[in-house]
Amino acid sequence: KTMLRYTSYDEQGELLDRWADEITVPDLSAGDVQLATPRFLLARSPFELRALLTTPEVTPTASRRLRKSDRLLVELEAYAASGAPELSIELLNQRGESLVTVPVPAASSGHPRVEIPLQSLAPATYVLKVIAKNASGHAEQHVPFRVVP
């Protein structure tokens, strides 16, 4: 665990607030597989999609309400002391039933990005099941999102 101390100042340099948060930093040298929170990268036009595909550092969207016309890329990040774990994504419906397994391509540089085919999904709630595994173990995350008309 690590203690982070924050201090907030206004434009004139006056102290506004101070606070501390305790966070848990995982030990990546222990060999356990760790999976970072998947980042949703959203494009609403071909121009935005081209920018997402060619720019290594992109700001993710916080929204989990997506339109069928949106193009969604999910950026994944996983760690293990013994090397990069194998990644997979499974698309589940709201009852937890598997709809499709989406292949995760190897990243040429940076972190792998996977396009989720929103155009073929009916308006409903879905869950991305992200799995990272290697010989020493596995990690799993479930990320819900909603497709709206």
Side-chain angles (χ1 to χ4, degrees), residues 32-93:
D32 296 338
V33 177
Q34 301 289 329
L35 189 59
T37 302
R39 291 177 289 279
F40 279 32
L41 310 176
L42 190 60
R44 299 195 184 235
S45 70
F47 176 76
E48 289 179 359
L49 180 62
R50 195 170 331 113
L52 286 180
L53 294 172
T54 58
T55 307
E57 294 295 323
V58 181
T59 302
T61 182
S63 176
R64 296 298 183 253
R65 286 179 52 92
L66 311 169
R67 290 182 265 163
K68 288 179 63 98
S69 60
D70 292 341
R71 301 290 295 269
L72 175 64
L73 296 176
V74 178
E75 188 174 71
L76 304 173
E77 194 171 350
Y79 306 96
S82 59
E86 178 185 335
L87 296 166
S88 64
I89 291 182
E90 195 172 350
L91 181 63
L92 310 175
N93 64 15

Side-chain angles (χ1 to χ4, degrees):
K1 295 196 182 236
T2 300
M3 183 65 73
L4 290 179
R5 291 184 180 88
Y6 300 93
T7 306
S8 177
Y9 297 97
D10 66 9
E11 293 175 0
Q12 291 77 32
E14 300 279 329
L15 177 67
L16 294 175
D17 196 5
R18 286 188 180 153
W19 67 97
D21 278 335
E22 187 175 82
I23 63 168
T24 302
V25 179
D27 181 10
L28 299 179
S29 65
D32 296 338
V33 177
Q34 301 289 329
L35 189 59
T37 302
R39 291 177 289 279
F40 279 32
L41 310 176
L42 190 60
R44 299 195 184 235
S45 70
F47 176 76
E48 289 179 359
L49 180 62
R50 195 170 331 113
L52 286 180
L53 294 172
T54 58
T55 307
E57 294 295 323
V58 181
T59 302
T61 182
S63 176
R64 296 298 183 253
R65 286 179 52 92
L66 311 169
R67 290 182 265 163
K68 288 179 63 98
S69 60
D70 292 341
R71 301 290 295 269
L72 175 64
L73 296 176
V74 178
E75 188 174 71
L76 304 173
E77 194 171 350
Y79 306 96
S82 59
E86 178 185 335
L87 296 166
S88 64
I89 291 182
E90 195 172 350
L91 181 63
L92 310 175
N93 64 15
Q94 57 195 15
R95 292 186 299 262
E97 299 164 340
S98 178
L99 299 175
V100 67
T101 299
V102 181
V104 178
S108 57
S109 64
H111 306 293
R113 293 180 180 172
V114 179
E115 184 167 1
I116 304 301
L118 298 178
Q119 307 87 326
S120 62
L121 299 177
T125 299
Y126 297 91
V127 175
L128 283 181
K129 179 180 174 183
V130 182
I131 301 170
K133 63 182 173 181
N134 67 8
S136 65
H138 80 285
E140 186 175 304
Q141 284 192 17
H142 294 83
V143 184
F145 66 95
R146 186 178 236 341
V147 175
V148 297

